[in-house]
């Protein structure tokens, strides 16, 4: 008894954050969190859309530095890197014949320009990327390719992996076969008359063509037109521009640990967004959730391990921030990485990869999350884009899987705005991350996989 009291007198209070009771207290207090809301509300109101490698993204970095300093984080800084910029121009789609009417379209990232006058071409339709792949170039040459799909909502968002290639790959395949342009059914699950933006990728050596995404109601209308068996002609105007070498950057902040020799914990989200909405769920929410959780650990006293929070730049257009971070910090030991980038829906599942020593930590985290309704998965955790390059070096990975049932209704659309975020669900996310950090940042076990 006496010995214990003595110990309590000489150890800083923070040393007790490792007790299950303390982690549970921090978790429960986080259910009243307002920090995450102030971040997502502030960023979407005071900055708004934050396209990578633009002046808006630079303003967002400045906003981030001010905010992170005000929250009391240490070593707040911008780590810049250079990349090629691309900006949206005019975007119009119109059926010329046989049923003249306008359609709602947006240019996909990396799309070429049609020129200001636009182009007119006959539509050739495909029900899948595989159908387009199988088509002979003669059927496609000089035409406007249209690819549709049947993506439906799922809790884990797995429809994106299945149907994402319609956006990611179809434009390059169409270009290789000599198509004049491509329009796709937006990769999404809503029925609003909103197009979903996002990157497409042209294989090196393939000359980019104009590439757009139609809103889902317009894509369904176009399918019905094609089903009538007559040639369908579209006039398409997309005038995006390449802006050459531009600056982007990551914003870094830290909660310094008591033992700087221990490998650090890296968490965060991405600061850039698409430009049609204000990037509330993608991904102001993710940076807000992870930052608010780190702030709670910061305020509870110094953790054992350093927690680094990164607001990554230029994720949407190719994960440039994550790659730049890994290059800049290759010599530093990272124990565990995790990113929040799947909206603001409640966390329903936790996945975690660690080496054998970390299994006990995984079990402790699972137990700490159970009262929040979170189940522990036996499946492997997959690192999200920005932390993936660091995870590839053999770190442990923490995956807080959010309910994504409605995520692809909003993803990359004009509807990605603050009002779509449920404050209680946002708080549940903060509580889940706080609990996991409270356990992981106090662990001495080796968390790396290799
Ligand atoms: Zn995102």
């Amino acid at each position: 008894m006496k010995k214990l009291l003595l110990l309590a007198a000489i150890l800083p209070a923070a040393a007790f954050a490792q007790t299950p009771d303390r982690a549970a207290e921090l978790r429960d207090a986080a259910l009243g969190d307002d920090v995450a809301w102030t971040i997502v509300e502030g960023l979407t109101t005071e900055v708004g859309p934050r396209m990578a490698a633009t002046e808006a993204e630079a303003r967002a970095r400045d906003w981030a530095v001010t905010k992170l300093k005000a929250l009391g984080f240490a070593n707040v800084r911008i780590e810049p890197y250079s990349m090629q910029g691309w900006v949206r121009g005019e975007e119009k789609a119109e059926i010329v014949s046989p049923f003249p009417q306008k359609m709602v379209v947006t240019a996909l990232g990396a799309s070429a320009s049609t020129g200001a006058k636009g182009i007119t071409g006959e539509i050739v339709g495909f029900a899948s990327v595989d159908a387009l792949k199988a088509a002979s170039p003669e059927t496609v040459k000089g035409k406007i390719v249209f690819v549709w799909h049947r993506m439906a909502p799922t809790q884990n968002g797995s429809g994106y992996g299945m149907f994402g290639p319609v956006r990611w790959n179809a434009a390059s395949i169409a270009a290789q076969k000599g198509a004049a342009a491509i329009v796709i059914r937006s990769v999404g699950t809503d029925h609003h008359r909103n197009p979903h933006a996002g990157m497409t990728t042209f294989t090196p050596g393939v000359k980019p063509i104009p590439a757009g995404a139609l809103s889902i109601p317009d894509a369904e209308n176009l399918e019905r037109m094609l089903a009538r068996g007559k040639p369908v002609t579209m006039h398409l105007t997309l005038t995006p521009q390449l802006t050459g070498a531009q600056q982007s950057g990551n914003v870094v902040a830290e909660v310094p640990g008591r033992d700087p020799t221990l490998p650090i914990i890296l968490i965060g989200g991405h600061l850039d967004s698409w430009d049609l909405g204000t990037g509330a769920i993608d991904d102001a929410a993710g940076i807000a959730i992870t930052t608010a959780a780190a702030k709670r650990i910061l305020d509870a006293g110094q953790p054992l391990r350093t927690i680094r929070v990164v607001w990554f730049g230029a994720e949407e257009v190719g994960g440039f921030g994550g790659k730049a971070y890994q290059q800049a910090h290759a010599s530093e030991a990272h124990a565990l990485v995790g990113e929040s980038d799947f909206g603001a829906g409640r966390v329903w599942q936790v996945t975690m990869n660690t080496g054998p020593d970390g299994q006990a930590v995984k079990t402790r985290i699972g137990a700490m999350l159970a009262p929040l309704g979170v189940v522990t998965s036996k499946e492997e955790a997959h690192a999200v884009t920005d932390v993936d390059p660091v995870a590839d070096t053999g770190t442990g990975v923490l995956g807080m899987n959010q309910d994504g049932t409605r995520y692809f209704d909003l993803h990359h659309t004009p509807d990605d705005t603050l009002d779509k975020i449920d404050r209680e669900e946002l708080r549940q996310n903060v509580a889940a991350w706080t609990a996991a950090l409270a356990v992981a940042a106090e662990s001495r076990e080796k968390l790396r996989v290799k």
Side-chain angles (χ1 to χ4, degrees):
M1 185 72 180
K2 207 171 183 181
K3 209 173 178 184
L4 272 178
L5 280 174
L6 186 67
L7 205 61
I10 58 170
L11 282 175
F16 293 92
Q18 71 204 60
T19 65
D21 283 357
R22 186 70 180 123
E25 267 173 38
L26 291 171
R27 174 198 65 206
D28 294 346
L31 289 170
D33 180 80
D34 279 324
V35 173
W37 180 260
T38 65
I39 292 172
V40 73
E41 191 267 354
L43 194 55
T44 54
T45 305
E46 296 170 20
V47 182
R50 309 170 293 283
M51 269 288 278
T54 65
E55 168 278 333
E57 197 198 33
R59 266 191 288 127
R61 285 193 292 281
D62 292 341
W63 190 94
V65 167
T66 305
K67 185 72 182 175
L68 289 161
K69 282 184 177 167
L71 288 170
F73 286 95
N75 306 323
V76 177
R77 62 198 185 267
I78 294 170
E79 297 184 349
Y81 52 85
S82 175
M83 60 175 285
Q84 299 294 312
W86 176 95
V87 292
R88 188 178 304 290
E90 240 197 295
E91 24 203 33
K92 283 189 292 194
E94 192 167 358
I95 300 300
V96 179
S97 71
F99 311 116
Q101 55 188 290
K102 289 179 178 170
M103 292 192 165
V104 178
V105 71
T106 197
L108 295 177
S111 168
S113 173
T114 59
K117 289 185 180 148
I119 58 167
T120 302
E122 188 184 331
I123 297 280
V124 52
F126 298 96
S128 66
V129 174
D130 284 342
L132 170 62
K133 271 187 199 157
S136 73
E138 295 82 71
T139 58
V140 168
K141 203 168 174 32
K143 294 185 179 162
I144 298 176
V145 165
F146 167 50
V147 185
W148 68 90
H149 60 83
R150 290 287 179 264
M151 182 171 164
T154 59
Q155 184 181 27
N156 67 3
S158 51
Y160 195 49
M162 181 83 186
F163 299 103
V166 171
R167 195 188 79 222
W168 307 326
N169 308 332
S172 187
I173 297 164
Q176 267 171 308
K177 291 181 191 282
I182 181 171
V183 288
I184 62 163
R185 172 178 168 131
S186 282
V187 175
T189 52
D190 61 300
H191 275 84
H192 287 246
R193 210 167 177 192
N194 284 330
H196 294 239
M199 276 309 280
T200 192
T201 306
F202 291 94
T203 309
V206 175
K207 190 165 180 269
I209 55 172
L214 295 170
S215 81
I216 289 165
D218 285 301
E220 290 183 349
N221 198 359
L222 184 52
E223 255 191 88
R224 291 193 298 272
M225 289 181 188
L226 289 170
R228 280 160 164 71
K230 290 180 188 160
V232 177
T233 306
M234 175 183 274
H235 186 72
L236 180 68
T237 309
L238 300 170
T239 62
Q241 281 178 27
L242 296 168
T243 56
Q246 301 289 332
Q247 197 166 87
S248 182
N250 297 320
V251 183
V252 179
E254 286 168 9
V255 182
R258 302 195 298 282
D259 185 348
T261 67
L262 283 174
I264 69 166
I265 295 173
L266 168 67
I267 58 167
H270 65 86
L271 182 56
D272 68 306
S273 76
W274 282 103
D275 52 343
L276 303 180
T278 58
I281 65 153
D282 189 10
D283 184 28
I287 57 176
I289 290 161
T290 49
T291 303
K295 162 75 174 160
R296 291 187 162 271
I297 302 297
L298 171 74
D299 290 349
Q302 204 176 13
L304 181 64
R305 291 179 193 267
T306 294
I307 299 169
R308 183 174 292 158
V309 184
V310 180
W311 296 16
F312 292 94
E315 187 271 352
E316 294 290 4
V317 294
F320 291 98
K323 289 171 200 161
Y325 175 88
Q326 199 279 324
Q327 282 167 12
H329 297 273
S331 62
E332 270 175 286
H334 290 71
L336 183 71
V337 301
E339 177 172 14
S340 176
D341 184 18
F342 199 48
R346 62 178 288 274
V347 178
W348 69 279
Q349 186 189 52
V350 58
T351 56
M352 194 171 163
N353 298 348
T354 70
D357 294 354
Q359 289 303 312
V361 178
K362 178 178 172 176
T363 304
R364 292 208 296 279
I365 289 175
M368 204 48 67
L369 294 181
L372 298 173
V374 179
V375 297
T376 303
S377 170
K378 290 191 174 68
E379 283 167 35
E380 228 183 286
H382 297 284
V384 183
T385 306
D386 293 308
V387 296
D388 199 39
V390 180
D392 276 349
T393 69
T395 70
V397 176
L398 176 67
M400 278 310 173
N401 298 336
Q402 293 164 284
D403 187 336
T405 311
R406 301 268 58 104
Y407 183 67
F408 290 105
D409 291 356
L410 307 171
H411 184 245
H412 300 180
T413 73
D415 260 353
D416 179 3
T417 49
L418 181 70
D419 50 289
K420 309 308 183 302
I421 293 180
D422 179 297
R423 289 182 82 151
E424 294 309 317
E425 292 193 1
L426 190 70
R427 285 171 168 146
Q428 188 261 9
N429 274 270
V430 177
W433 279 90
T434 301
L437 283 180
V439 174
E442 289 300 329
S443 69
R444 281 200 179 273
E445 290 97 330
K446 183 180 168 223
L447 299 174
R448 288 183 67 90
V449 175
K450 61 183 186 206

